[in-house]
Short mmCIF file of all heavy atoms in Angstrom, two decimals:
data_model
loop_
_atom_site.label_atom_id
_atom_site.label_comp_id
_atom_site.label_asym_id
_atom_site.label_seq_id
_atom_site.Cartn_x
_atom_site.Cartn_y
_atom_site.Cartn_z
N MET F 1 129.72 101.91 109.07
CA MET F 1 129.80 101.82 107.63
C MET F 1 131.27 101.55 107.28
O MET F 1 132.18 102.15 107.84
CB MET F 1 129.31 103.13 107.02
CG MET F 1 129.26 103.12 105.53
SD MET F 1 128.65 104.66 104.79
CE MET F 1 127.05 104.82 105.53
N SER F 2 131.50 100.68 106.34
CA SER F 2 132.87 100.31 105.95
C SER F 2 133.50 101.41 105.09
O SER F 2 132.81 102.23 104.47
CB SER F 2 132.85 99.01 105.18
OG SER F 2 132.27 99.19 103.90
N ALA F 3 134.82 101.39 105.04
CA ALA F 3 135.55 102.34 104.20
C ALA F 3 135.18 102.12 102.73
O ALA F 3 135.09 103.08 101.96
CB ALA F 3 137.06 102.18 104.40
N ARG F 4 134.96 100.89 102.36
CA ARG F 4 134.57 100.58 100.98
C ARG F 4 133.22 101.22 100.64
O ARG F 4 133.04 101.82 99.59
CB ARG F 4 134.49 99.07 100.78
CG ARG F 4 134.22 98.67 99.35
CD ARG F 4 134.22 97.16 99.17
NE ARG F 4 135.41 96.50 99.69
CZ ARG F 4 136.55 96.35 99.00
NH1 ARG F 4 136.63 96.82 97.78
NH2 ARG F 4 137.58 95.75 99.55
N GLU F 5 132.26 101.13 101.56
CA GLU F 5 130.93 101.71 101.33
C GLU F 5 130.99 103.23 101.31
O GLU F 5 130.36 103.88 100.47
CB GLU F 5 129.94 101.22 102.40
CG GLU F 5 128.55 101.79 102.26
CD GLU F 5 127.83 101.40 100.98
OE1 GLU F 5 128.25 100.44 100.32
OE2 GLU F 5 126.84 102.06 100.65
N ILE F 6 131.77 103.82 102.22
CA ILE F 6 131.93 105.28 102.23
C ILE F 6 132.53 105.73 100.91
O ILE F 6 132.05 106.69 100.29
CB ILE F 6 132.80 105.73 103.42
CG1 ILE F 6 132.11 105.42 104.75
CG2 ILE F 6 133.12 107.22 103.31
CD1 ILE F 6 133.01 105.59 105.96
N GLY F 7 133.57 105.05 100.46
CA GLY F 7 134.21 105.40 99.19
C GLY F 7 133.26 105.28 98.02
O GLY F 7 133.25 106.12 97.12
N ARG F 8 132.46 104.23 98.01
CA ARG F 8 131.49 104.04 96.93
C ARG F 8 130.49 105.19 96.91
O ARG F 8 130.18 105.75 95.85
CB ARG F 8 130.75 102.72 97.09
CG ARG F 8 129.85 102.36 95.91
CD ARG F 8 129.03 101.11 96.15
NE ARG F 8 128.04 101.29 97.20
CZ ARG F 8 126.90 101.98 97.08
NH1 ARG F 8 126.61 102.59 95.95
NH2 ARG F 8 126.04 102.08 98.07
N ARG F 9 129.98 105.56 98.08
CA ARG F 9 128.98 106.64 98.14
C ARG F 9 129.55 108.00 97.77
O ARG F 9 128.86 108.84 97.19
CB ARG F 9 128.37 106.71 99.54
CG ARG F 9 127.46 105.54 99.83
CD ARG F 9 126.80 105.69 101.17
NE ARG F 9 125.99 104.51 101.49
CZ ARG F 9 125.05 104.52 102.40
NH1 ARG F 9 124.81 105.60 103.12
NH2 ARG F 9 124.36 103.43 102.63
N LEU F 10 130.82 108.22 98.11
CA LEU F 10 131.44 109.51 97.81
C LEU F 10 132.15 109.54 96.46
O LEU F 10 132.54 110.60 95.99
CB LEU F 10 132.45 109.88 98.91
CG LEU F 10 131.87 110.10 100.30
CD1 LEU F 10 132.98 110.36 101.29
CD2 LEU F 10 130.87 111.24 100.28
N GLY F 11 132.34 108.37 95.87
CA GLY F 11 133.01 108.31 94.58
C GLY F 11 134.51 108.49 94.69
O GLY F 11 135.13 109.06 93.79
N VAL F 12 135.11 108.03 95.80
CA VAL F 12 136.56 108.11 95.97
C VAL F 12 137.08 106.72 96.32
O VAL F 12 136.33 105.83 96.70
CB VAL F 12 136.97 109.13 97.06
CG1 VAL F 12 136.56 110.53 96.68
CG2 VAL F 12 136.38 108.76 98.40
N ALA F 13 138.38 106.55 96.22
CA ALA F 13 139.00 105.26 96.49
C ALA F 13 138.90 104.90 97.97
O ALA F 13 138.96 105.78 98.84
CB ALA F 13 140.46 105.28 96.06
N ARG F 14 138.78 103.61 98.23
CA ARG F 14 138.73 103.11 99.60
C ARG F 14 140.00 103.51 100.36
O ARG F 14 139.95 103.87 101.53
CB ARG F 14 138.57 101.60 99.59
CG ARG F 14 138.59 100.96 100.96
CD ARG F 14 138.52 99.44 100.87
NE ARG F 14 139.51 98.84 100.00
CZ ARG F 14 140.74 98.50 100.39
NH1 ARG F 14 141.11 98.70 101.63
NH2 ARG F 14 141.58 97.97 99.53
N SER F 15 141.14 103.50 99.67
CA SER F 15 142.40 103.86 100.32
C SER F 15 142.40 105.32 100.78
O SER F 15 143.00 105.66 101.80
CB SER F 15 143.57 103.61 99.38
OG SER F 15 143.44 104.37 98.19
N THR F 16 141.71 106.19 100.04
CA THR F 16 141.59 107.60 100.44
C THR F 16 140.79 107.70 101.73
O THR F 16 141.15 108.46 102.64
CB THR F 16 140.93 108.42 99.33
OG1 THR F 16 141.71 108.31 98.15
CG2 THR F 16 140.77 109.88 99.72
N ILE F 17 139.72 106.94 101.82
CA ILE F 17 138.90 106.93 103.03
C ILE F 17 139.72 106.41 104.20
O ILE F 17 139.74 107.01 105.29
CB ILE F 17 137.63 106.08 102.84
CG1 ILE F 17 136.78 106.61 101.68
CG2 ILE F 17 136.82 105.99 104.13
CD1 ILE F 17 136.32 108.03 101.84
N GLN F 18 140.44 105.32 104.00
CA GLN F 18 141.26 104.75 105.06
C GLN F 18 142.34 105.73 105.51
O GLN F 18 142.60 105.87 106.70
CB GLN F 18 141.89 103.44 104.61
CG GLN F 18 140.87 102.33 104.48
CD GLN F 18 141.46 101.07 103.89
OE1 GLN F 18 142.32 101.12 103.01
NE2 GLN F 18 140.98 99.93 104.38
N ASP F 19 142.96 106.42 104.57
CA ASP F 19 143.98 107.41 104.91
C ASP F 19 143.39 108.52 105.78
O ASP F 19 143.97 108.90 106.80
CB ASP F 19 144.58 108.01 103.64
CG ASP F 19 145.64 109.07 103.93
OD1 ASP F 19 146.55 108.78 104.72
OD2 ASP F 19 145.53 110.18 103.37
N ASN F 20 142.21 109.02 105.41
CA ASN F 20 141.58 110.08 106.19
C ASN F 20 141.14 109.59 107.57
O ASN F 20 141.25 110.32 108.55
CB ASN F 20 140.42 110.69 105.43
CG ASN F 20 140.89 111.62 104.34
OD1 ASN F 20 141.57 112.60 104.60
ND2 ASN F 20 140.56 111.31 103.10
N LEU F 21 140.66 108.37 107.66
CA LEU F 21 140.28 107.81 108.96
C LEU F 21 141.51 107.64 109.85
O LEU F 21 141.46 107.92 111.06
CB LEU F 21 139.56 106.47 108.78
CG LEU F 21 138.17 106.54 108.16
CD1 LEU F 21 137.64 105.14 107.88
CD2 LEU F 21 137.22 107.31 109.05
N ASN F 22 142.63 107.22 109.27
CA ASN F 22 143.87 107.10 110.03
C ASN F 22 144.37 108.45 110.50
O ASN F 22 144.85 108.59 111.63
CB ASN F 22 144.95 106.39 109.19
CG ASN F 22 144.65 104.93 108.98
OD1 ASN F 22 143.92 104.32 109.75
ND2 ASN F 22 145.20 104.37 107.91
N ARG F 23 144.25 109.46 109.64
CA ARG F 23 144.66 110.82 110.04
C ARG F 23 143.79 111.34 111.19
O ARG F 23 144.29 111.95 112.12
CB ARG F 23 144.54 111.78 108.85
CG ARG F 23 145.59 111.60 107.79
CD ARG F 23 145.31 112.52 106.60
NE ARG F 23 146.23 112.32 105.53
CZ ARG F 23 147.36 113.01 105.36
NH1 ARG F 23 147.66 113.98 106.20
NH2 ARG F 23 148.16 112.75 104.34
N ALA F 24 142.49 111.07 111.11
CA ALA F 24 141.57 111.51 112.17
C ALA F 24 141.91 110.82 113.49
O ALA F 24 141.93 111.46 114.55
CB ALA F 24 140.13 111.23 111.78
N ALA F 25 142.21 109.52 113.44
CA ALA F 25 142.57 108.79 114.66
C ALA F 25 143.87 109.33 115.24
O ALA F 25 143.99 109.53 116.46
CB ALA F 25 142.69 107.30 114.35
N ALA F 26 144.87 109.60 114.38
CA ALA F 26 146.15 110.13 114.84
C ALA F 26 146.00 111.52 115.45
O ALA F 26 146.73 111.89 116.37
CB ALA F 26 147.14 110.17 113.68
N ALA F 27 145.04 112.30 114.94
CA ALA F 27 144.80 113.65 115.46
C ALA F 27 143.92 113.63 116.70
O ALA F 27 143.66 114.67 117.30
CB ALA F 27 144.16 114.52 114.38
N GLY F 28 143.42 112.44 117.08
CA GLY F 28 142.56 112.33 118.26
C GLY F 28 141.16 112.86 118.05
O GLY F 28 140.49 113.24 119.01
N LEU F 29 140.71 112.87 116.81
CA LEU F 29 139.36 113.38 116.51
C LEU F 29 138.32 112.30 116.74
O LEU F 29 138.54 111.14 116.41
CB LEU F 29 139.29 113.87 115.07
CG LEU F 29 140.18 115.07 114.74
CD1 LEU F 29 140.21 115.30 113.25
CD2 LEU F 29 139.70 116.30 115.48
N LYS F 30 137.22 112.67 117.29
CA LYS F 30 136.09 111.76 117.53
C LYS F 30 134.85 112.35 116.89
O LYS F 30 134.70 113.56 116.78
CB LYS F 30 135.84 111.60 119.04
CG LYS F 30 137.02 111.13 119.84
CD LYS F 30 137.11 109.64 119.82
CE LYS F 30 138.20 109.22 120.79
NZ LYS F 30 138.96 108.11 120.38
N TRP F 31 133.94 111.49 116.46
CA TRP F 31 132.67 111.92 115.87
C TRP F 31 131.61 111.89 116.92
O TRP F 31 131.58 110.95 117.70
CB TRP F 31 132.30 111.01 114.70
CG TRP F 31 131.13 111.52 113.92
CD1 TRP F 31 129.86 111.07 114.01
CD2 TRP F 31 131.12 112.59 113.00
NE1 TRP F 31 129.05 111.79 113.18
CE2 TRP F 31 129.81 112.74 112.55
CE3 TRP F 31 132.09 113.46 112.51
CZ2 TRP F 31 129.45 113.71 111.63
CZ3 TRP F 31 131.71 114.41 111.61
CH2 TRP F 31 130.41 114.52 111.17
N PRO F 32 130.74 112.86 117.03
CA PRO F 32 130.66 114.07 116.21
C PRO F 32 131.69 115.09 116.65
O PRO F 32 132.10 115.12 117.81
CB PRO F 32 129.24 114.57 116.44
CG PRO F 32 128.88 114.09 117.80
CD PRO F 32 129.61 112.78 117.98
N LEU F 33 132.10 115.93 115.71
CA LEU F 33 133.04 117.00 116.02
C LEU F 33 132.34 118.07 116.83
O LEU F 33 131.14 118.29 116.67
CB LEU F 33 133.59 117.62 114.73
CG LEU F 33 134.40 116.70 113.83
CD1 LEU F 33 134.76 117.42 112.54
CD2 LEU F 33 135.65 116.21 114.54
N GLY F 34 133.09 118.75 117.67
CA GLY F 34 132.52 119.84 118.45
C GLY F 34 132.12 121.01 117.57
O GLY F 34 132.64 121.18 116.46
N ASP F 35 131.21 121.83 118.05
CA ASP F 35 130.77 123.00 117.29
C ASP F 35 131.89 124.02 117.09
O ASP F 35 131.81 124.85 116.20
CB ASP F 35 129.58 123.66 117.99
CG ASP F 35 128.34 122.79 117.95
OD1 ASP F 35 128.24 121.94 117.04
OD2 ASP F 35 127.47 122.96 118.83
N ASP F 36 132.91 123.96 117.93
CA ASP F 36 134.00 124.92 117.86
C ASP F 36 135.06 124.55 116.82
O ASP F 36 135.98 125.32 116.56
CB ASP F 36 134.66 125.08 119.22
CG ASP F 36 135.23 123.76 119.74
OD1 ASP F 36 134.67 122.71 119.40
OD2 ASP F 36 136.23 123.80 120.47
N VAL F 37 134.96 123.39 116.18
CA VAL F 37 135.94 122.95 115.19
C VAL F 37 135.59 123.56 113.83
O VAL F 37 134.58 123.22 113.23
CB VAL F 37 135.99 121.40 115.08
CG1 VAL F 37 137.01 120.99 114.03
CG2 VAL F 37 136.33 120.79 116.42
N THR F 38 136.45 124.45 113.36
CA THR F 38 136.24 125.09 112.06
C THR F 38 136.86 124.24 110.95
O THR F 38 137.67 123.35 111.21
CB THR F 38 136.88 126.49 112.02
OG1 THR F 38 138.31 126.33 112.16
CG2 THR F 38 136.34 127.39 113.13
N LYS F 39 136.50 124.54 109.72
CA LYS F 39 137.08 123.82 108.58
C LYS F 39 138.59 124.01 108.55
O LYS F 39 139.34 123.08 108.27
CB LYS F 39 136.47 124.31 107.26
CG LYS F 39 135.06 123.87 107.04
CD LYS F 39 134.56 124.38 105.70
CE LYS F 39 133.12 123.98 105.47
NZ LYS F 39 132.61 124.42 104.18
N GLU F 40 139.05 125.23 108.85
CA GLU F 40 140.47 125.54 108.81
C GLU F 40 141.22 124.75 109.88
O GLU F 40 142.28 124.18 109.63
CB GLU F 40 140.70 127.05 108.99
CG GLU F 40 140.22 127.88 107.82
CD GLU F 40 138.70 128.13 107.83
OE1 GLU F 40 138.06 127.89 108.88
OE2 GLU F 40 138.17 128.52 106.79
N ALA F 41 140.65 124.70 111.10
CA ALA F 41 141.28 123.97 112.19
C ALA F 41 141.31 122.48 111.90
O ALA F 41 142.30 121.79 112.19
CB ALA F 41 140.55 124.24 113.50
N LEU F 42 140.25 121.96 111.32
CA LEU F 42 140.17 120.55 110.98
C LEU F 42 141.21 120.20 109.92
O LEU F 42 141.93 119.21 110.03
CB LEU F 42 138.77 120.21 110.48
CG LEU F 42 138.52 118.75 110.12
CD1 LEU F 42 138.73 117.85 111.32
CD2 LEU F 42 137.10 118.59 109.59
N GLU F 43 141.33 121.03 108.89
CA GLU F 43 142.31 120.79 107.84
C GLU F 43 143.72 120.81 108.39
O GLU F 43 144.56 119.97 108.05
CB GLU F 43 142.17 121.82 106.72
CG GLU F 43 143.11 121.56 105.57
CD GLU F 43 142.86 122.46 104.37
OE1 GLU F 43 141.85 123.16 104.35
OE2 GLU F 43 143.70 122.44 103.46
N LEU F 44 144.01 121.74 109.29
CA LEU F 44 145.34 121.82 109.90
C LEU F 44 145.63 120.58 110.73
O LEU F 44 146.73 120.02 110.65
CB LEU F 44 145.44 123.08 110.76
CG LEU F 44 146.80 123.34 111.40
CD1 LEU F 44 147.87 123.49 110.33
CD2 LEU F 44 146.73 124.57 112.27
N ARG F 45 144.66 120.11 111.50
CA ARG F 45 144.86 118.92 112.33
C ARG F 45 145.04 117.66 111.49
O ARG F 45 145.81 116.77 111.83
CB ARG F 45 143.71 118.73 113.30
CG ARG F 45 143.76 119.75 114.44
CD ARG F 45 142.66 119.58 115.42
NE ARG F 45 142.81 118.35 116.21
CZ ARG F 45 141.95 117.99 117.15
NH1 ARG F 45 140.91 118.76 117.42
NH2 ARG F 45 142.13 116.88 117.81
N LEU F 46 144.33 117.58 110.37
CA LEU F 46 144.41 116.39 109.53
C LEU F 46 145.60 116.40 108.57
O LEU F 46 146.22 115.37 108.33
CB LEU F 46 143.12 116.20 108.72
CG LEU F 46 141.87 115.85 109.50
CD1 LEU F 46 140.66 115.82 108.58
CD2 LEU F 46 142.03 114.52 110.23
N PHE F 47 145.90 117.56 108.01
CA PHE F 47 146.88 117.62 106.93
C PHE F 47 148.08 118.51 107.19
O PHE F 47 148.98 118.58 106.35
CB PHE F 47 146.19 118.09 105.63
CG PHE F 47 145.07 117.18 105.24
CD1 PHE F 47 143.75 117.58 105.41
CD2 PHE F 47 145.31 115.92 104.71
CE1 PHE F 47 142.70 116.75 105.06
CE2 PHE F 47 144.27 115.09 104.36
CZ PHE F 47 142.97 115.49 104.54
N GLY F 48 148.11 119.22 108.32
CA GLY F 48 149.25 120.06 108.65
C GLY F 48 150.48 119.21 108.90
O GLY F 48 150.39 118.10 109.41
N ARG F 49 151.64 119.70 108.48
CA ARG F 49 152.86 118.95 108.68
C ARG F 49 153.78 119.73 109.60
O ARG F 49 154.10 120.88 109.33
CB ARG F 49 153.57 118.69 107.35
CG ARG F 49 152.74 117.80 106.47
CD ARG F 49 153.42 117.33 105.23
NE ARG F 49 154.47 118.19 104.72
CZ ARG F 49 155.00 118.07 103.53
NH1 ARG F 49 154.56 117.14 102.73
NH2 ARG F 49 155.96 118.85 103.13
N ALA F 50 154.17 119.10 110.68
CA ALA F 50 155.05 119.74 111.65
C ALA F 50 156.40 120.04 111.01
O ALA F 50 156.93 119.24 110.25
CB ALA F 50 155.23 118.84 112.86
N GLY F 51 156.95 121.21 111.32
CA GLY F 51 158.27 121.56 110.84
C GLY F 51 158.30 122.26 109.50
O GLY F 51 159.33 122.72 109.07
N ILE F 52 157.17 122.35 108.81
CA ILE F 52 157.12 123.04 107.52
C ILE F 52 156.10 124.16 107.65
O ILE F 52 154.96 123.92 108.00
CB ILE F 52 156.73 122.08 106.38
CG1 ILE F 52 157.79 120.99 106.24
CG2 ILE F 52 156.55 122.84 105.08
CD1 ILE F 52 157.47 119.96 105.20
N ALA F 53 156.54 125.36 107.39
CA ALA F 53 155.66 126.51 107.51
C ALA F 53 154.52 126.43 106.50
O ALA F 53 154.73 126.01 105.36
CB ALA F 53 156.44 127.81 107.32
N THR F 54 153.33 126.82 106.93
CA THR F 54 152.17 126.80 106.05
C THR F 54 152.40 127.75 104.88
O THR F 54 152.86 128.87 105.07
CB THR F 54 150.92 127.22 106.83
OG1 THR F 54 150.78 126.34 107.93
CG2 THR F 54 149.68 127.15 105.97
N GLY F 55 152.06 127.29 103.68
CA GLY F 55 152.18 128.15 102.50
C GLY F 55 153.55 128.13 101.86
O GLY F 55 153.78 128.84 100.90
N GLN F 56 154.50 127.34 102.39
CA GLN F 56 155.82 127.27 101.80
C GLN F 56 156.05 125.87 101.26
O GLN F 56 155.57 124.90 101.80
CB GLN F 56 156.89 127.61 102.83
CG GLN F 56 156.80 129.03 103.31
CD GLN F 56 157.93 129.37 104.26
OE1 GLN F 56 158.74 128.53 104.61
NE2 GLN F 56 157.97 130.60 104.69
N ARG F 57 156.79 125.78 100.19
CA ARG F 57 157.07 124.50 99.57
C ARG F 57 158.56 124.23 99.62
O ARG F 57 159.36 125.15 99.69
CB ARG F 57 156.57 124.49 98.13
CG ARG F 57 155.08 124.74 98.03
CD ARG F 57 154.60 124.39 96.64
NE ARG F 57 153.20 124.70 96.50
CZ ARG F 57 152.22 123.83 96.71
NH1 ARG F 57 152.49 122.62 97.08
NH2 ARG F 57 150.97 124.18 96.54
N ARG F 58 158.88 122.96 99.55
CA ARG F 58 160.29 122.58 99.55
C ARG F 58 160.97 122.96 98.24
O ARG F 58 162.14 123.25 98.20
CB ARG F 58 160.43 121.08 99.78
CG ARG F 58 160.02 120.67 101.16
CD ARG F 58 160.19 119.19 101.34
NE ARG F 58 159.70 118.81 102.66
CZ ARG F 58 159.80 117.61 103.15
NH1 ARG F 58 160.35 116.65 102.44
NH2 ARG F 58 159.33 117.35 104.34
N ARG F 59 160.21 122.91 97.15
CA ARG F 59 160.74 123.24 95.83
C ARG F 59 159.93 124.39 95.24
O ARG F 59 158.76 124.56 95.55
CB ARG F 59 160.64 122.03 94.91
CG ARG F 59 161.50 120.89 95.37
CD ARG F 59 161.50 119.77 94.34
NE ARG F 59 162.35 118.71 94.81
CZ ARG F 59 161.93 117.48 95.07
NH1 ARG F 59 160.67 117.16 94.88
NH2 ARG F 59 162.77 116.57 95.50
N VAL F 60 160.56 125.11 94.35
CA VAL F 60 159.89 126.22 93.67
C VAL F 60 158.89 125.64 92.68
O VAL F 60 159.20 124.70 91.94
CB VAL F 60 160.92 127.11 92.95
CG1 VAL F 60 160.22 128.20 92.17
CG2 VAL F 60 161.89 127.70 93.96
N GLU F 61 157.67 126.18 92.67
CA GLU F 61 156.64 125.74 91.73
C GLU F 61 156.99 126.20 90.32
O GLU F 61 157.47 127.32 90.12
CB GLU F 61 155.28 126.35 92.10
CG GLU F 61 154.64 125.72 93.30
CD GLU F 61 153.97 124.41 92.97
OE1 GLU F 61 153.46 124.24 91.86
OE2 GLU F 61 153.96 123.54 93.86
N PRO F 62 156.76 125.37 89.32
CA PRO F 62 156.99 125.80 87.93
C PRO F 62 155.96 126.86 87.52
O PRO F 62 154.93 127.01 88.17
CB PRO F 62 156.80 124.53 87.11
CG PRO F 62 156.29 123.48 88.02
CD PRO F 62 156.33 123.98 89.42
N ASP F 63 156.26 127.53 86.46
CA ASP F 63 155.31 128.50 85.90
C ASP F 63 154.30 127.69 85.09
O ASP F 63 154.51 127.38 83.92
CB ASP F 63 156.05 129.51 85.02
CG ASP F 63 155.13 130.58 84.45
OD1 ASP F 63 153.89 130.46 84.60
OD2 ASP F 63 155.65 131.53 83.86
N TRP F 64 153.20 127.32 85.74
CA TRP F 64 152.22 126.42 85.13
C TRP F 64 151.60 127.01 83.87
O TRP F 64 151.34 126.29 82.91
CB TRP F 64 151.14 126.04 86.14
CG TRP F 64 151.67 125.23 87.27
CD1 TRP F 64 151.79 125.60 88.57
CD2 TRP F 64 152.18 123.89 87.21
NE1 TRP F 64 152.35 124.59 89.33
CE2 TRP F 64 152.59 123.52 88.51
CE3 TRP F 64 152.34 122.97 86.18
CZ2 TRP F 64 153.14 122.28 88.81
CZ3 TRP F 64 152.89 121.72 86.48
CH2 TRP F 64 153.27 121.39 87.78
N ALA F 65 151.38 128.32 83.85
CA ALA F 65 150.77 128.94 82.67
C ALA F 65 151.72 128.84 81.47
O ALA F 65 151.30 128.51 80.35
CB ALA F 65 150.44 130.40 82.96
N ALA F 66 153.01 129.08 81.70
CA ALA F 66 153.99 128.98 80.61
C ALA F 66 154.11 127.53 80.14
O ALA F 66 154.19 127.27 78.93
CB ALA F 66 155.35 129.51 81.06
N LEU F 67 154.10 126.61 81.06
CA LEU F 67 154.19 125.20 80.71
C LEU F 67 152.98 124.76 79.88
O LEU F 67 153.12 124.05 78.88
CB LEU F 67 154.27 124.35 81.98
CG LEU F 67 154.43 122.86 81.79
CD1 LEU F 67 155.71 122.55 81.02
CD2 LEU F 67 154.43 122.15 83.12
N ALA F 68 151.79 125.21 80.27
CA ALA F 68 150.59 124.87 79.51
C ALA F 68 150.67 125.43 78.10
O ALA F 68 150.29 124.78 77.13
CB ALA F 68 149.35 125.41 80.22
N GLY F 69 151.21 126.63 77.96
CA GLY F 69 151.38 127.25 76.64
C GLY F 69 152.35 126.47 75.77
O GLY F 69 152.10 126.27 74.58
N GLU F 70 153.43 125.98 76.37
CA GLU F 70 154.41 125.19 75.61
C GLU F 70 153.81 123.85 75.17
O GLU F 70 154.09 123.37 74.07
CB GLU F 70 155.65 124.93 76.46
CG GLU F 70 156.53 126.15 76.63
CD GLU F 70 157.78 125.83 77.44
OE1 GLU F 70 158.27 124.68 77.37
OE2 GLU F 70 158.26 126.75 78.13
N LEU F 71 152.99 123.26 76.00
CA LEU F 71 152.39 121.97 75.66
C LEU F 71 151.36 122.08 74.53
O LEU F 71 151.09 121.09 73.87
CB LEU F 71 151.75 121.35 76.90
CG LEU F 71 152.74 120.87 77.98
CD1 LEU F 71 151.98 120.42 79.21
CD2 LEU F 71 153.62 119.75 77.44
N LYS F 72 150.82 123.25 74.33
CA LYS F 72 149.84 123.43 73.25
C LYS F 72 150.48 123.38 71.89
O LYS F 72 149.81 123.19 70.88
CB LYS F 72 149.11 124.77 73.42
CG LYS F 72 148.12 124.77 74.57
CD LYS F 72 147.39 126.09 74.64
CE LYS F 72 146.39 126.05 75.79
NZ LYS F 72 145.70 127.33 75.92
N GLY F 73 151.78 123.57 71.83
CA GLY F 73 152.47 123.49 70.56
C GLY F 73 152.68 124.85 69.94
O GLY F 73 152.48 125.88 70.58
N PRO F 74 153.05 124.88 68.65
CA PRO F 74 153.31 126.15 67.97
C PRO F 74 152.06 127.04 67.92
O PRO F 74 150.96 126.55 67.75
CB PRO F 74 153.72 125.75 66.56
CG PRO F 74 153.89 124.28 66.57
CD PRO F 74 153.27 123.74 67.80
N ALA F 75 152.30 128.31 68.06
CA ALA F 75 151.18 129.25 68.08
C ALA F 75 150.68 129.59 66.71
O ALA F 75 151.26 129.49 65.72
CB ALA F 75 151.57 130.53 68.80
#
């Protein structure tokens, strides 16, 4: 099945499908996945970044709740 057809069926962009297929190839994943592959392990293999600790960001996250309140305008 083409990336275009997969994207159409899932309702996502073809480029997103291609990106995920490239990540799977780079991680050495083959279909079907083994029964021992968990969702967490799969996510780490596809999207984990070497050299950056899990759960840490390069920049401090803004206070999204305060920002949303400011965008609503005067109270």
Side-chain angles (χ1 to χ4, degrees):
M1 184 179 302
S2 70
R4 185 177 308 275
E5 179 64 17
I6 295 169
R8 187 186 67 75
R9 289 184 183 198
L10 296 176
V12 297
R14 176 184 53 87
S15 60
T16 301
I17 301 301
Q18 290 174 324
D19 179 51
N20 283 301
L21 291 173
N22 290 336
R23 287 175 184 267
L29 295 170
K30 304 275 187 217
W31 189 258
L33 297 175
D35 292 336
D36 59 330
V37 179
T38 64
K39 288 181 182 181
E40 292 80 15
L42 182 60
E43 184 172 350
L44 183 61
R45 287 181 69 180
L46 292 175
F47 302 105
R49 294 188 334 193
I52 298 177
T54 303
Q56 295 184 357
R57 300 194 184 266
R58 292 181 184 185
R59 295 187 179 118
V60 176
E61 285 281 327
D63 182 351
W64 295 112
L67 183 60
E70 286 182 31
L71 291 173
K72 287 183 180 178

